[in-house]
Amino acid sequence: MRAPEVLGVLLVASITGRYGLAGEVAAAGSAGYALVSPLAARLADRFGQGRVLPPLVRVYAASTVGLIGCAELRAPGWALIPCSGLAGAATPQLGSMVRARWSALLGGSPLLQAAFSLESVADEVIFVAGPVLVTLLATEVHPAAGLAVAAATCVAGSLLLAAQRATQPPAGPVDVRRGVRGHLLPARGLVTLAPVGLFFGAMLAAIDLATVDFAQEHGHKPLAGFILGGYALGSAATGQRRRIGKPRQWPGSPRRSRSAPP
């Protein structure tokens, strides 16, 4: 589960006390992101990040404000869920866009992998520190404070990135490569990876929900952020160990990958 969904859980659960509704709201945000993010990425490639990000950010900000407002007014689920789904659909894909910029600037250079490593380290620091900070805001200041601060930083960062026109990849027609037998899937392996990702995401969402509920049940809800940050710290440590060690070449895998590392 991404940080906005965790904050949605904290917001809805803190105000309504209903973790079932909080899970539904978070699921709507994740579904919106999963369904719309490929289209948003295609539009960014076609028209340029500087043109796509500002309208996307406006929709994200408006839907997030709507979600907070509906939660504060204790609106029914039919009002909360669409707001969350729209906010998830309009969430800017800043990590992918930054990696695309690195690829455009340093493609073919040995510095490209160093840039990807720097980007990954920055992501991992955010994944560790972010849950701690926003959970403290949501539990100690106001239930909406964490989501509001996270949304404000997302909007500010997106607009700053959109303003950097000199570093964005050149826009142009998208080359859609068809896979086997004319299908749009670029590789057969995606048929296997898709359900794996689905169940893995469900497991992560269950862990996040259970962590928040467990911490609240024992009277230590602010510590939920530290626990979630601990999960991210373990992931970061494993990722750094993977980068320090010798990369493993799996049988049948290409020697050089065009995709950016996570």
Side-chain angles (χ1 to χ4, degrees):
M1 188 183 292
R2 301 175 305 121
E5 276 68 65
V6 175
L7 292 172
V9 169
L10 289 171
L11 172 66
V12 176
S14 297
I15 294 177
T16 67
R18 298 169 57 188
Y19 277 91
L21 177 59
E24 293 173 0
V25 170
S30 296
Y33 182 82
L35 292 173
V36 178
S37 58
L39 175 59
R42 182 68 55 83
L43 291 174
D45 290 339
R46 179 66 179 87
F47 299 105
Q49 296 179 11
R51 292 182 60 187
V52 172
L53 274 174
L56 197 67
V57 165
R58 285 194 287 269
V59 175
Y60 169 75
S63 54
T64 302
V65 170
L67 175 61
I68 293 174
C70 288
E72 290 289 348
L73 295 173
R74 289 173 171 78
W78 59 262
L80 291 166
I81 290 174
C83 289
S84 179
L86 188 59
T91 300
Q93 304 172 54
L94 297 183
S96 299
M97 290 184 177
V98 170
R99 285 189 287 270
R101 291 180 182 234
W102 283 124
S103 297
L105 291 172
L106 301 176
S109 168
L111 294 176
L112 181 60
Q113 291 303 318
F116 283 154
S117 296
L118 175 64
E119 176 69 18
S120 297
V121 170
D123 288 344
E124 289 160 357
V125 170
I126 294 172
F127 292 155
V128 173
V132 177
L133 297 176
V134 296
T135 302
L136 287 174
L137 287 173
T139 55
E140 298 298 314
V141 179
H142 189 276
L147 182 57
V149 170
T153 55
C154 179
V155 169
S158 299
L159 293 178
L160 287 173
L161 182 66
Q164 308 301 315
R165 299 296 182 98
T167 60
Q168 72 175 0
V174 179
D175 181 18
V176 179
R177 298 181 179 273
R178 292 184 175 270
V180 182
R181 298 180 182 177
H183 295 294
L184 291 178
L185 290 176
R188 290 181 177 180
L190 289 180
V191 178
T192 302
L193 289 176
V196 171
L198 175 64
F199 290 114
F200 185 71
M203 181 195 68
L204 293 178
I207 289 175
D208 290 340
L209 282 169
T211 299
V212 175
D213 188 26
F214 181 84
Q216 183 177 17
E217 191 72 20
H218 288 75
H220 298 289
K221 192 173 182 179
L223 295 181
F226 289 92
I227 300 173
L228 294 175
Y231 295 150
L233 180 61
S235 175
T238 302
Q240 290 304 311
R241 175 64 182 87
R242 171 67 177 80
R243 293 185 183 92
I244 294 173
K246 183 179 180 180
R248 178 174 180 179
Q249 186 69 29
W250 294 95
S253 60
R255 289 182 176 272
R256 301 180 66 180
S257 173
R258 295 182 180 180
S259 61

